[in-house]
Amino acid sequence: MTIPAGESYLAGPDEPDEPERSGTASAAVEGASSVPDDLEVARLQAEVAALRAQLDARPRRRPVARSIRSGLAAVLVVLAAFCLVTSVVGLWAARTTLNTDRWVATVAPLPEDPRINAAVAEYATTELFAVVDVQQRLRDVLPPQAAFVAGPIAGQLREQVHKTVRTVLASDRFQTIWVSLNQQLHQRALAVLEGRSEVITTTSDSVQIDLLPLINQVLRELSAQLPTMFGKQITLPDLSSGEIPPNLRLRIEEAVGVTLPPNFAQFTVYDAGQLYEAQQAVVAAKRYLVGFVVLTVLLVLAAFAISPRRRRTMVQLGVWLVIAAVAVTVVLRAVRREILEAVPEGVYRDGVDATVTTVFSVLRERGVQLIVIGVLLALIGYLAGPGRFPRWLRGQTRRGAVAAWRGVAVGGRAVTAHGPGFAARNLDPIRIGGVIVAVLAALIWSSWTGLFVIVILLVVFEAGVTLLARRTEGSAEVIVG
């Protein structure tokens, strides 16, 4: 069939249902594609519902886990703080009381303390008068009609002896004796506490401080001041070299003509009942101290590793460190109070108080340092947080630092531009000012090392100012020329 040109194609009678077939086909295709779309929608809806269920469940589980971690980290921080403070006390005890050199360095200045000096002088005078019996000696040499003055004279002599004892205690000669005496005492005490002593038996388990060398020196001084006090001239060894002879007790007895009691001028540090407990404490300290220090480090690391909020953990560590240091300080004060209550009131208690204060001075310094460290940790953790005040403070600090840096830069440029000329015009006043500052610094820092450093700095300053002024003058001459 030929279609005329210019005419449109129209379906003939033999093709009446072509559009219907096309419509039916598209409907079939649409119906076929709608089934997968419904399935896809249903699948997506189910997936969304499952995700929503998971989201609904996660907020409930996460706070529980975070709470458990936060609580565990807080417990570890508390344990770490108390372990740290206890470790510091243990290290101080091990380094001070179990080391002869450190112990001697700690107790060496004790005789110079006025309260300790007074207590030891009172004790030594009482012991000396008890064994020498000065009042009876006076009665023996005085006529019966003058016997009543024996008491007042003995009182005057006692004051003289007490003064002599204090003078001997404060002398450089006795300082050497004191150091040697404490070295021997501490070495013997360590031998006893560590079970290495060959001279301590089950019937005499004790460690004693023997002031017999002090009595020896006092008797020498009294013999020179009051030759007739003992009825004869006595000769005793000079112990200023620190060497204490083993037969010192016998020599004093022979010189004075008396028999000294077995515990003359001695007081016990450890008796038989305390010795075993002290030995066990020393053994435990040596055995567990290193482990305790390692445990402290592990607790701190574990607390920060577990904590979900490490900044808060730092704040907690600082706060609990302060609390632990204060708590241990309170315990040590209670122990000190018990020690003082066991000593009679008066000069002896004052002397013991001064001794305890001196021995524990380093430990007090460590306690203050721990408190300062705890406060710094808490402040740093708090100021690094998201709070309103920390944010404001950080902003102010940042702006202040920028302004300061700009001021330094401007000042540096000004000094660079005008400083050499100013130095050249005012060379002599600058030199004199440098000398005045050096003199003031030398008065404040009064030591040979400080004086050496100040002299070096002064020489460098004077030379630098002079060279700078000369260079400026030379440049000005060149420009003028």
Side-chain angles (χ1 to χ4, degrees):
M1 175 180 179
T2 304
I3 300 174
E7 294 184 3
S8 60
Y9 176 78
L10 296 175
D14 53 345
E15 300 177 358
D17 53 12
E18 185 66 25
E20 293 179 1
R21 287 198 303 269
S22 299
T24 302
S26 63
V29 171
E30 182 178 356
S33 62
S34 65
V35 175
D37 289 343
D38 293 340
L39 294 176
E40 183 67 18
V41 170
R43 186 184 66 79
L44 291 175
Q45 289 177 346
E47 185 176 351
V48 169
L51 291 175
R52 285 178 177 176
Q54 293 180 4
L55 291 175
D56 291 339
R58 286 184 63 187
R60 289 193 298 270
R61 291 196 299 266
R62 181 174 296 177
V64 173
R66 289 174 65 89
S67 299
I68 293 175
R69 292 173 59 190
S70 298
L72 183 58
V75 172
L76 292 176
V77 161
V78 175
L79 295 176
F82 278 93
C83 287
L84 177 59
V85 175
T86 307
S87 298
V88 170
V89 175
L91 288 173
W92 168 84
R95 290 168 60 87
T96 302
T97 61
L98 300 181
N99 184 286
T100 299
D101 293 336
R102 288 185 177 273
W103 174 255
V104 170
T106 301
V107 301
L110 290 183
E112 301 173 1
D113 189 289
R115 294 187 295 171
I116 299 174
N117 188 299
V120 176
E122 179 65 24
Y123 177 79
T125 303
T126 301
E127 289 286 289
L128 186 58
F129 260 67
V131 72
V132 175
D133 198 359
V134 175
Q135 190 167 346
Q136 183 59 43
R137 287 174 179 257
L138 289 173
R139 289 195 184 97
D140 293 339
V141 299
L142 290 174
Q145 295 82 1
F148 67 94
V149 300
I153 295 176
Q156 293 294 325
L157 286 175
R158 195 180 196 286
E159 292 182 5
Q160 180 65 28
V161 171
H162 189 275
K163 181 179 178 181
T164 303
V165 175
R166 298 200 65 170
T167 303
V168 171
L169 282 171
S171 65
D172 294 336
R173 289 185 175 183
F174 182 74
Q175 185 66 25
T176 305
I177 301 173
W178 177 252
V179 169
S180 176
L181 185 64
N182 276 278
Q183 286 177 340
Q184 296 178 13
L185 171 67
H186 194 269
Q187 291 170 356
R188 183 187 176 202
L190 283 183
V192 173
L193 295 176
E194 296 175 354
R196 297 182 286 104
S197 176
E198 298 178 356
V199 297
I200 301 298
T201 63
T202 56
T203 58
S204 60
D205 285 346
S206 63
V207 177
Q208 297 173 330
I209 294 180
D210 190 354
L211 294 180
L212 197 61
L214 171 63
I215 299 296
N216 179 86
Q217 297 300 103
V218 171
L219 290 174
R220 283 175 54 86
E221 293 291 333
L222 289 176
S223 178
Q225 297 174 8
L226 305 171
T228 60
M229 178 177 177
F230 303 100
K232 59 178 181 178
Q233 185 70 30
I234 62 175
T235 303
L236 290 172
D238 186 6
L239 309 181
S240 57
S241 63
E243 293 292 332
I244 302 174
N247 61 341
L248 181 60
R249 177 178 297 272
L250 179 61
R251 298 182 66 170
I252 292 178
E253 290 178 340
E254 292 176 350
V256 182
V258 297
T259 300
L260 300 178
N263 59 345
F264 175 73
Q266 294 180 346
F267 55 91
T268 301
V269 179
Y270 293 106
D271 58 23
Q274 299 170 332
L275 188 59
Y276 177 76
E277 296 179 0
Q279 288 174 332
Q280 296 304 311
V282 170
V283 172
K286 290 186 174 182
R287 180 181 301 172
Y288 301 118
L289 182 58
V290 176
F292 217 71
V293 174
V294 173
L295 177 62
T296 301
V297 176
L298 293 178
L299 286 173
V300 172
L301 295 178
F304 280 94
I306 293 175
S307 175
R309 301 179 66 177
R310 293 183 174 88
R311 181 189 59 80
R312 175 176 292 183
T313 301
M314 179 183 292
V315 175
Q316 292 174 345
L317 178 60
V319 171
W320 279 106
L321 193 58
V322 173
I323 294 174
V326 172
V328 173
T329 301
V330 171
V331 172
L332 292 177
R333 285 183 177 178
V335 173
R336 174 182 177 177
R337 186 165 53 250
E338 291 183 0
I339 294 174
L340 294 180
E341 289 176 354
V343 181
E345 292 186 6
V347 65
Y348 290 147
R349 180 174 291 185
D350 293 340
V352 174
D353 186 17
T355 302
V356 173
T357 300
T358 301
V359 172
F360 284 86
S361 60
V362 176
L363 185 58
R364 286 197 306 275
E365 293 177 2
R366 298 294 178 266
V368 172
Q369 292 172 357
L370 287 175
I371 292 175
V372 171
I373 292 173
V375 171
L376 290 178
L377 286 176
L379 284 177
I380 292 173
Y382 171 73
L383 295 178
R388 181 180 300 177
F389 177 74
R391 290 202 305 271
W392 175 83
L393 184 61
R394 289 196 297 269
Q396 294 296 325
T397 303
R398 190 182 305 109
R399 285 190 286 271
V402 171
W405 176 256
R406 290 176 179 173
V408 170
V410 172
R413 289 193 293 270
V415 170
T416 303
H418 307 290
F422 178 81
R425 293 190 301 270
N426 303 276
L427 181 59
D428 291 337
I430 292 176
R431 287 174 172 173
I432 295 173
V435 173
I436 293 174
V437 171
V439 171
L440 294 176
L443 293 176
I444 296 173
W445 196 4
S446 56
S447 66
W448 289 109
T449 303
L451 183 61
F452 177 76
V453 172
I454 291 170
V455 170
I456 295 297
L457 293 178
L458 179 61
V459 170
V460 172
F461 173 78
E462 297 291 342
V465 171
T466 303
L467 291 175
L468 182 63
R470 289 181 178 177
R471 181 176 298 179
T472 304
E473 291 175 354
S475 300
E477 292 176 357
V478 170
I479 293 174
V480 172

